[in-house]
Structures are given as structure tokens and as C-alpha cells.
Amino acid sequence: MIISQVMQLITGIFEGLLGIPLFGGAYIMGSGYTPLFVMLILHIITLFLASRDGRWIAGSVLGIVTSILGFIPFVGMVLHWITCIVLIISVFQPKRY
């Protein structure tokens, strides 16, 4: 695996953890929404790496949107789920070119 795939897998797992009902929301709110900011930075880094390596970037772009809108109850939870799935699928996709 190349580093962009590892980052996609890591951010996908983190998104899945943040999407766990009650736990994810309590963790995010209890931490002063800092996990959303950290995930935003990780998604930007992953986007850069995936783009550089010719990997799929949809998961990272969706992750950036999720990090921005993740503070909205229920909407954030569903966005975390969707982002998790897209990122994990992206790991196993072939290069774009």
C-alpha cells in the first residue's frame, strides 16, 4: 500500500468511529469540536496525497465537507457513515490513470 491508501484507510476508520451513534457525538461535543478540525486537516493532507498519487479523491473531498458540517446532529452522523464507506472503498480502487 502506498501512503495515500494508508491515509485513506486511517481517515475512513476515524470517520467510522466518529459516526457511532451517541459515542461519536458525545466525543465530538465533549472535545469542543476539536476532532472535526483534526479530521479536516487529515482530509486535506489525504486529498493532497491521493491527488499526487493518482488515487480517487472523492472520499477526501466528502471528508472535508463532513468535517465542516459534522457539528449538525444526525446529519453529521450520517455524513460520517457515508464518508467512512467511500474512503474505505477508495482504498481498493485502481489508480485513476
Side-chain angles (χ1 to χ4, degrees), residues 6 8 12 15 22 24 26 32-33 35 37 54 60-61 66 68-69 75 77-78 80-81 83 94:
V6 172
Q8 286 174 329
E15 286 291 344
L22 299 177
Y33 298 95
F37 178 72
S60 297
V61 172
T66 300
I68 294 169
L69 299 177
V75 172
M77 180 179 66
V78 173
H80 286 300
W81 293 344
T83 304

Side-chain angles (χ1 to χ4, degrees), residues 24-72:
Y27 177 69
I28 290 170
M29 289 188 293
S31 301
Y33 298 95
T34 303
L36 294 179
F37 178 72
V38 170
M39 289 305 295
L40 176 65
I41 300 302
L42 288 175
H43 286 303
I44 291 169
I45 293 168
T46 304
L47 175 66
F48 171 75
L49 293 172
S51 178
R52 180 195 67 183
D53 293 341
R55 309 284 316 159
W56 288 33
I57 61 169
S60 297
V61 172
L62 187 57
I64 291 169
V65 171
T66 300
S67 296
I68 294 169
L69 299 177
F71 69 93
I72 303 170

